[in-house]
């Protein structure tokens, strides 16, 4: 009789010929969270494992190939196969914004969202931005219309987060500049007519009209002829 030594066979004889793929993971997850599979059937039953399965790659390492080994189910007759590699995708993690209170400072009609400063807690270093900063809310939007904002983490391992916030919109006060004021004129009156019969004309700071404050007053021929004029905007919802 003779004794024959039977060595374990290689589970995979040509590791470089095996194409592997891995399920994506999210930043902070270890390699072990990703499942590895072969593109074609293998001659031996078993499973793949990451060699350094506790390693946690960053987003910048997405697309990197990491070492993999194949572990046969029949460990008595087949040995583990090393020398395998697999590329993995690492997606950014999404910061949890639960409990975050966010506000925008009040603005005046005519201003844009960019004029409202966003303030609130942050779960990590980063900043808030308006998605559409050029939007001009109306007074009817005040405290009612939600506007999209985005939290942009400084750390590229984390994804942007969308949120909404409302803004207080105050009525605007029409500003009559000195140039506008100097251009206001009134049609002449005959003695006995009321101020309201004199037509006021001139440029306006917004859509609207000028009216005499004391329209029933009857000016005298030689009296003081400077009278107070009031501007009434057409849009009384957005203007005072």
């Amino acid at each position: 009789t003779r004794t024959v030594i039977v060595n374990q066979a290689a589970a995979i004889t040509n590791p470089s010929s095996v194409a592997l793929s891995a399920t994506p993971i999210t930043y902070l997850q270890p390699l072990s969270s990703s499942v590895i599979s072969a593109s074609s059937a293998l001659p031996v039953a078993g499973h793949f494992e990451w060699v350094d399965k506790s390693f946690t790659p960053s987003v910048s390492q997405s697309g990197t190939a990491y070492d993999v080994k194949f572990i046969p189910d029949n460990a008595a007759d087949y040995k583990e196969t090393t020398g395998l590699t697999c590329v993995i995708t690492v997606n950014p993690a999404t910061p949890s914004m639960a409990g975050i209170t966010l506000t925008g400072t009040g603005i005046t009609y005519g201003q844009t969202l960019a004029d409202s400063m966003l303030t609130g807690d942050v779960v990590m270093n980063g900043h808030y931005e308006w998605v559409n900063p050029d939007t001009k809310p109306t007074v009817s939007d005040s405290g009612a219309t939600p506007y999209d904002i985005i939290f942009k983490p400084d750390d590229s391992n984390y994804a942007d987060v969308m949120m909404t916030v409302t803004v207080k919109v105050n009525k605007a006060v029409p500003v009559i500049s000195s140039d506008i004021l100097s251009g206001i004129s009134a049609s002449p009156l005959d003695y006995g007519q009321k101020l309201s019969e004199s037509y006021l004309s001139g440029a306006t700071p917004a859509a609207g009209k000028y009216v005499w404050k004391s329209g029933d007053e009857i000016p005298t021929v030689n009296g003081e002829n400077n009278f107070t004029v009031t501007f009434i905007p057409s849009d009384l919802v957005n203007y005072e």
Side-chain angles (χ1 to χ4, degrees):
T1 61
R2 293 290 186 271
T3 299
V4 178
I5 298 175
V6 181
N7 296 316
Q8 288 177 306
I12 299 175
T13 56
N14 187 11
S16 62
S17 67
V18 179
L20 300 178
S21 62
T23 57
I25 59 174
T26 300
Y27 175 64
L28 296 180
Q29 288 186 306
L31 289 176
S32 59
S33 298
S34 174
V35 178
I36 308 165
S37 58
S39 60
S40 59
L42 298 173
V44 176
H47 66 279
F48 296 98
E49 283 187 6
W50 300 98
V51 173
D52 189 2
K53 55 187 176 182
S54 63
F55 178 68
T56 303
S58 65
V59 171
S60 64
Q61 292 169 312
S62 182
T64 300
Y66 293 97
D67 292 332
V68 171
K69 61 184 178 180
F70 178 75
I71 301 175
D73 291 345
N74 183 358
D77 295 328
Y78 295 95
K79 59 185 176 181
E80 293 183 2
T81 300
T82 58
L84 300 163
T85 61
C86 184
V87 172
I88 191 168
T89 298
V90 184
N91 296 313
T94 301
S96 173
M97 307 301 283
I100 295 295
T101 300
L102 186 64
T103 58
T105 56
I107 57 176
T108 300
Y109 175 70
Q111 290 185 303
T112 65
L113 289 176
D115 295 306
S116 175
M117 184 174 67
L118 292 165
T119 58
D121 299 329
V122 292
V123 293
M124 61 183 62
N125 291 334
H127 66 280
Y128 295 103
E129 291 181 4
W130 294 103
V131 173
N132 299 300
D134 294 331
T135 299
K136 291 183 177 181
T138 64
V139 172
S140 61
D141 292 315
S142 182
T145 302
Y147 295 99
D148 292 330
I149 62 168
I150 190 168
F151 175 69
K152 300 183 75 67
D154 292 342
D155 188 343
S156 61
N157 287 305
Y158 292 90
D160 295 345
V161 181
M162 297 288 292
M163 301 176 67
T164 60
V165 68
T166 60
V167 176
K168 179 176 175 57
V169 183
N170 299 304
K171 286 187 175 184
V173 177
V175 177
I176 301 177
S177 65
S178 56
D179 289 340
I180 292 177
L181 184 62
S182 63
I184 300 174
S185 61
S187 61
L189 294 173
D190 293 327
Y191 177 69
Q193 289 184 299
K194 299 177 181 180
L195 281 176
S196 58
E197 297 178 78
S198 173
Y199 176 72
L200 292 163
S201 62
T204 59
K209 63 181 180 180
Y210 295 107
V211 297
W212 297 100
K213 183 176 181 181
S214 303
D216 291 334
E217 186 171 346
I218 299 175
T220 60
V221 175
N222 297 317
E224 173 60 54
N225 289 329
N226 288 324
F227 300 96
T228 301
V229 171
T230 299
F231 174 70
I232 300 177
S234 300
D235 184 359
L236 294 177
V237 174
N238 292 305
Y239 289 96
E240 292 184 357

